[in-house]
Amino acid sequence: MNIVKSILIIVLLIPQVAEAIYRVYSGNMGDNKVEFYLFAISDSNFHIIYIEDKTKKIEYMGAPKKIGNDYHFENYTTIDTVNNNDTLIIKNFDFSFNKVNSDNNELFGYSQIFGDFKLEKKFEYNIEWENGDDRNWKDSKQLFDNIEFKNVEFLQMNSTKDFYFKVILSKKKKEDIKITGINVYSKKSGELLQTIKSSKGYIFHTFQAIRIGDFDFDGNKNDFSLNNSESYAANVPQLYYIYDESQNKYIEANLEGYSIQFDSENKIATSTKTCGDVVIYSSNVLLKKLYYFNNKEKKYTYIDKYCEAIPDGVNYYLRQCTKKERLDCEKAVVEVGDEP
């Protein structure tokens, strides 16, 4: 298994919660200006992605060893070269769960290559929720209900050859953190190319809200989707954007649905909404919608809909849905399912 697939699997195992530590730090490692984006739940569930100003490469670090009060991230790729590995140490990290502000405004660390460094905290959110400890529930609920913020950028791990992405986060009182937009940056210049507003209300989790692919079938993986989950489970809402080279910007592709699959030969995308038990897939109804990509308009056109029912204890073969099953599934509010 290559390192990219390993990283993806690690990140997808992060619990799908919006209650944890989220922090953003910036500063210098040696002569390199860097931004650190941090997600942590505990000592054993501690993740960082970072980007530096020169190459615009995005790197991931996770699964640190805790030695004393320090966290050791071993054998990650360095900023300057893909041929050498470094060990980075985060010193005396302050979790500060259920506090508006953590005790330290700086992140102190050490790199075997760049030496000591200090980064300044730019943003933090420190709510502990699903920890199994009823004593903390009242504090976390109170903080969750009262905290609010607008237009915070959070780097995404996936990028194209030419662009990288930061989702724009906002939170209202008593609500989850929502993705309210996407900032598209040029890897060549580091400048902001485009701001895309989103009113879909997708909940923010961590580093994988953006996924890259070839969604206009031109042979280039320079398009992206915005996803309402970091898993590949059933019923994941997805919204797609196509890069239009003639305009040098992304345009919404008129394609939104659930767990969308692509047929490059026929230029068709299929959205599948699963109604029923998404864990054991028994007696499920699968409502499928088909879209055809119009290359001239750079958009998808809805072309067809059909419905299938998965075999159960009475019906032993895949069959067409009844009218009632189809209508019930169309109306049903479905949630993102567990990994099958």
Side-chain angles (χ1 to χ4, degrees):
M1 182 179 294
N2 64 43
I3 188 169
V4 174
K5 289 183 179 179
S6 299
I7 289 172
L8 181 61
I9 289 172
I10 290 170
V11 174
L12 289 179
L13 291 176
I14 295 173
Q16 302 292 301
V17 297
E19 287 71 49
I21 283 181
Y22 299 94
R23 294 186 194 162
V24 180
Y25 297 89
S26 68
N28 283 72
M29 290 177 63
D31 295 329
N32 301 283
K33 184 178 179 181
V34 296
E35 297 174 3
F36 274 42
Y37 294 78
L38 184 146
F39 167 85
I41 294 177
S42 64
D43 291 348
S44 59
N45 202 335
F46 195 135
H47 309 265
I48 296 172
I49 59 172
Y50 73 85
I51 185 170
E52 62 88 25
D53 194 52
K54 291 181 180 178
T55 67
K56 305 300 185 297
K57 287 182 62 178
I58 298 170
E59 301 288 356
Y60 166 83
M61 298 183 295
K65 293 181 180 179
K66 188 176 183 183
I67 303 176
N69 293 323
D70 299 335
Y71 296 88
H72 292 239
F73 295 87
E74 298 183 347
N75 297 322
Y76 74 93
T77 304
T78 65
I79 292 170
D80 287 340
T81 174
V82 297
N83 298 317
N84 293 329
N85 288 334
D86 192 5
T87 293
L88 185 142
I89 300 172
I90 300 298
K91 300 180 179 180
N92 298 307
F93 182 75
D94 173 23
F95 275 88
S96 296
F97 278 123
N98 299 330
K99 292 184 179 180
V100 174
N101 298 305
S102 55
D103 294 337
N104 297 322
N105 289 321
E106 291 89 20
L107 183 71
F108 294 92
Y110 171 79
S111 160
Q112 287 183 336
I113 293 179
F114 301 105
D116 291 319
F117 62 88
K118 179 177 69 173
L119 306 180
E120 181 182 356
K121 182 175 62 185
K122 299 296 184 182
F123 169 76
E124 64 180 324
Y125 177 86
N126 305 308
I127 294 182
E128 185 177 29
W129 193 272
E130 296 178 356
N131 61 348
D133 190 343
D134 292 338
R135 293 173 299 176
N136 292 333
W137 186 88
K138 184 177 180 180
D139 292 339
S140 59
K141 179 67 165 58
Q142 184 178 16
L143 186 59
F144 174 83
D145 286 345
N146 291 328
I147 199 166
E148 59 182 349
F149 53 81
K150 291 182 67 176
N151 301 331
V152 173
E153 288 188 316
F154 209 91
L155 181 67
Q156 294 295 286
M157 192 170 76
N158 294 320
S159 63
T160 71
K161 177 184 175 183
D162 299 313
F163 306 109
Y164 65 95
F165 307 89
K166 295 179 180 180
V167 291
I168 304 170
L169 308 178
S170 296
K171 182 185 182 303
K172 296 181 179 179
K173 292 182 178 180
K174 297 184 179 181
E175 293 186 7
D176 283 313
I177 304 173
K178 302 289 182 62
I179 298 173
T180 56
I182 306 151
N183 279 340
V184 182
Y185 286 88
S186 166
K187 282 187 174 179
K188 183 177 181 179
S189 65
E191 295 180 354
L192 177 64
L193 173 76
Q194 182 181 1
T195 296
I196 300 170
K197 294 182 179 180
S198 175
S199 59
K200 300 299 180 179
Y202 285 5
I203 296 174
F204 172 70
H205 299 295
T206 53
F207 307 139
Q208 294 275 5
I210 297 291
R211 294 179 193 156
I212 306 303
D214 176 14
F215 304 129
D216 59 357
F217 312 110
D218 66 353
N220 299 313
K221 292 185 177 182
N222 52 10
D223 311 314
F224 76 88
S225 64
L226 177 65
N227 302 270
N228 198 25
S229 173
E230 296 198 358
S231 76
Y232 288 93
N235 295 332
V236 175
Q238 301 166 342
L239 178 64
Y240 285 80
Y241 295 87
I242 301 297
Y243 176 65
D244 186 349
E245 188 174 4
S246 65
Q247 301 182 68
N248 190 31
K249 71 175 187 178
Y250 284 90
I251 58 176
E252 191 170 329
N254 192 39
L255 180 62
E256 182 181 21
Y258 298 95
S259 308
I260 295 177
Q261 300 294 317
F262 293 86
D263 177 353
S264 59
E265 182 176 352
N266 295 303
K267 296 186 177 182
I268 290 176
T270 303
S271 166
T272 301
K273 181 181 182 182
T274 303
C275 298
D277 193 323
V278 297
V279 178
I280 62 175
Y281 282 88
S282 175
S283 303
N284 291 116
V285 169
L286 305 179
L287 183 63
K288 296 178 180 287
K289 294 185 178 182
L290 277 64
Y291 299 81
Y292 176 76
F293 184 71
N294 186 315
N295 189 61
K296 184 177 180 180
E297 296 182 1
K298 293 287 184 181
K299 287 183 179 292
Y300 279 86
T301 301
Y302 172 69
I303 57 174
D304 198 8
K305 171 173 58 182
Y306 66 95
C307 185
E308 298 172 330
I310 289 179
D312 54 35
V314 178
N315 302 286
Y316 295 99
Y317 299 99
L318 189 70
R319 60 181 174 81
Q320 187 175 357
C321 297
T322 65
K323 182 178 180 180
K324 183 179 186 307
E325 287 173 329
R326 179 176 59 80
L327 291 175
D328 287 347
C329 190
E330 287 179 343
K331 296 176 183 179
V333 177
V334 293
E335 296 182 358
V336 176
D338 295 330
E339 291 285 352

